[in-house]
Amino acid sequence: MKQKIIIIAFFVSILTILYVYYSKNSAIADRQLPIDKTEKEIVQSKTGNLAGMNGKVLIAYFSWADNTVFNQNMDVLSSASSTIPGNTAVMAQLINSQIGGELYPIKVKEAYPYDYDKCLDRAANEKIDRVRPELLNTINNFDDYDIIFLGFPNWCYTAPMAVFSFIEQYDFSNKTVIPFCSHGTGGVAGSVKDIIADLPSTTEVLPAIDINRDDMGNAETVISAWLDSIGFQNKESSSGKNS
Ligand SMILES: Cc1cc2nc3c(=O)[nH]c(=O)nc-3n(C[C@H](O)[C@H](O)[C@H](O)COP(=O)(O)O)c2cc1C
């Protein structure tokens, strides 16, 4: 009888040790799971969780050329000032040609000067005074969009104030925002940080792309790689046209 009790106690001890060992290791494995994923996989799963690849896409963008009145006496193409189409507009069109979505130019009611220095003066003053320029149009079905690509040039180290007018005009809760920026060497500067601060905490902001205006010749390739890195497939390859 005594021998039986010793054998049972022995097996109970073994089982207890195995149970403790297994629980500890599975807890460590659970904690390590996200670290083992690549950054790309995490971004893709975030996109999938929030909006899904079938989410309705809006490509809203601000470009100087859409927000100025061209001086008829100046040669637009050779001028150092704004050109048609604007660089941000070109980026928007490239995103649209690769993944689809609705293009939406953000336009202010009061156009900016065509003269660069005068435009810079107004942009700088608007930034200092945190002006929210009135916009020309409204998107009635904004709620239908899940993913909003938001494009802008770097103006005075941030986005033009009209971009903040746009953000504050709609409810971005639980939507995904993907910034894209054109600049003249300054990169995104404070723009993305300022945009995130202006959005609700439930808005997911995916990694931005920025392209120097002098590198617009490579924009198609760069944008394609960026879209891939944040989990979007080229609409042609995803529909099998390229296979
Ligand atoms: C008013 C104004 C302010 C600008 N400020 C900056 C700046 O601070 N940093 C920078 O890198 N580029 C700056 N730029 C250059 C634009 O970001 C660049 O030319 C961009 O490609 C223009 O895009 P768009 O053609 O879509 O307007 C500024 C341009 C303007 C008109």
Side-chain angles (χ1 to χ4, degrees):
M1 181 65 187
K2 199 177 168 191
Q3 207 179 3
K4 257 188 185 173
I5 291 171
I6 291 170
I7 290 169
I8 290 168
F10 174 75
F11 278 112
V12 168
S13 316
I14 295 285
L15 285 174
T16 309
I17 289 165
L18 284 175
Y19 175 76
V20 169
Y21 177 80
Y22 175 78
S23 310
K24 208 173 158 187
N25 276 295
S26 62
I28 291 168
D30 283 350
R31 241 182 298 144
Q32 282 178 341
L33 206 63
I35 299 166
D36 289 342
K37 284 189 172 189
T38 63
E39 198 178 325
K40 184 177 166 188
E41 281 170 333
I42 292 166
V43 169
Q44 280 178 332
S45 70
K46 272 186 188 168
T47 311
N49 288 343
L50 277 161
M53 289 311 181
N54 297 321
K56 202 168 154 70
V57 173
L58 177 72
I59 305 168
Y61 62 95
F62 177 99
S63 213
W64 185 18
D66 297 324
N67 284 283
T68 191
V69 178
F70 284 94
N71 184 338
Q72 302 300 314
N73 300 322
M74 291 177 98
D75 175 0
V76 167
L77 293 176
S78 63
S79 163
S81 293
S82 181
T83 54
I84 300 173
N87 296 324
T88 315
V90 171
M91 291 176 75
Q93 283 155 15
L94 288 169
I95 294 167
N96 171 260
S97 70
Q98 295 191 30
I99 60 155
E102 306 278 331
L103 284 166
Y104 181 78
I106 298 170
K107 293 185 183 179
V108 288
K109 267 194 178 156
E110 191 196 333
Y112 286 88
Y114 179 65
D115 177 85
Y116 177 80
D117 290 333
K118 288 182 183 153
C119 183
L120 188 60
D121 275 354
R122 176 170 153 194
N125 288 332
E126 285 185 348
K127 180 186 169 183
I128 291 165
D129 297 337
R130 302 173 67 86
V131 171
R132 297 294 182 256
E134 231 184 303
L135 302 184
L136 205 53
N137 301 307
T138 303
I139 304 170
N140 293 325
N141 64 337
F142 185 81
D143 284 352
D144 294 350
Y145 294 98
D146 309 292
I147 301 165
I148 298 104
F149 283 84
L150 184 57
F152 48 87
N154 173 340
W155 271 17
C156 310
Y157 309 101
T158 187
M161 292 299 109
V163 171
F164 298 97
S165 305
F166 179 78
I167 290 172
E168 291 165 21
Q169 191 167 322
Y170 301 102
D171 182 7
F172 280 77
S173 303
N174 301 309
K175 295 189 186 291
T176 300
V177 167
I178 310 173
F180 60 100
C181 169
S182 166
H183 59 88
T185 67
V188 297
S191 61
V192 173
K193 182 176 64 63
D194 294 344
I195 284 168
I196 290 172
D198 212 28
L199 287 165
S201 59
T202 57
T203 310
E204 183 82 358
V205 180
L206 297 190
I209 189 174
D210 65 273
I211 300 184
N212 185 321
R213 62 185 166 204
D214 295 334
D215 296 333
M216 286 304 292
N218 297 324
E220 185 169 3
T221 311
V222 175
I223 285 175
S224 174
W226 166 67
L227 287 170
D228 186 47
S229 77
I230 58 170
F232 285 87
Q233 279 181 317
N234 182 302
K235 67 180 175 189
E236 292 200 343
S237 56
S238 65
S239 65
K241 282 185 198 162
N242 285 352
S243 57

